[in-house]
Amino acid sequence: STSSENSFLYLNYAYGISSLLNFNNLDLFIDNNNGSIINENNSFLKIFLDKSSDDYLLESDNYIINFSEVNEIEEDNNTLFSYFVQNNPDSLVIPIGNLIQNYINNQSSYNNGILINLETNQYPPIFNFNSLVIDSVKPPTLEIYYFEWKK
């Protein structure tokens, strides 16, 4: 069990709390693999939830997580995609290959990470009081399968 004073990844719409996922060397992978093809069917982001935390509160078995670009200059975050979560799972396995391919093709910018937050337009709106805590013992992981073209 953790408290709000500890350092962990946390999502809460009602209080406007988002989290930034910044993976070691993902920016180098993106820069060094220009022209690579990401296998979208086998590339995933795994997020483990800490349901034992005192801060974990789920008012609904269903919610939507937005994945956005961080744009510090304009202070406006461009939503890249949304992921619908159902049945209150212990972990999330999110297809991420298309986003990584967009980074490699310079269609999206990784900058300093991927901003995640809870969707505002959920129905019914009372479910916006969900508070999700991402497990700090098992941090989020990326599995990326890709093909390199040799010239």
Side-chain angles (χ1 to χ4, degrees):
S1 169
T2 59
S3 71
S4 299
E5 297 160 6
N6 292 337
S7 175
F8 57 88
L9 296 174
Y10 179 65
L11 302 175
N12 182 295
Y13 169 73
Y15 297 112
I17 299 173
S18 303
S19 285
L20 184 67
L21 301 178
N22 189 350
F23 295 94
N24 289 341
N25 298 322
L26 181 58
D27 53 345
L28 295 174
F29 173 83
I30 293 166
D31 292 341
N32 294 333
N33 286 285
N34 192 3
S36 292
I37 305 296
I38 301 297
N39 182 325
E40 295 178 16
N41 294 327
N42 294 309
S43 297
F44 299 97
L45 167 62
K46 293 182 181 180
I47 297 177
F48 303 93
L49 303 174
D50 184 0
K51 292 183 171 184
S52 66
S53 169
D54 293 340
D55 294 307
Y56 189 93
L57 174 66
L58 199 60
E59 297 286 338
S60 164
D61 285 343
N62 304 315
Y63 50 92
I64 299 170
I65 297 177
N66 290 329
F67 292 76
S68 304
E69 278 182 320
V70 178
N71 188 338
E72 296 171 353
I73 296 171
E74 297 177 15
E75 295 184 12
D76 183 31
N77 300 316
N78 176 34
T79 300
L80 301 167
F81 72 95
S82 299
Y83 184 74
F84 179 72
V85 179
Q86 56 188 345
N87 300 324
N88 188 17
D90 292 331
S91 63
L92 309 174
V93 179
I94 302 163
I96 199 82
N98 191 41
L99 177 59
I100 301 299
Q101 188 69 62
N102 285 344
Y103 289 150
I104 288 173
N105 295 343
N106 291 318
Q107 294 174 335
S108 298
S109 179
Y110 180 67
N111 293 325
N112 293 318
I114 305 167
L115 187 69
I116 58 173
N117 59 29
L118 293 174
E119 171 64 41
T120 58
N121 296 320
Q122 297 184 59
Y123 182 81
I126 192 168
F127 296 148
N128 285 343
F129 291 98
N130 290 337
S131 294
L132 303 179
V133 178
I134 297 175
D135 197 328
S136 59
V137 176
K138 293 190 281 187
T141 59
L142 281 175
E143 288 185 17
I144 302 173
Y145 289 87
Y146 63 100
F147 305 96
E148 292 180 358
W149 291 104
K150 301 289 182 186
K151 295 182 182 182

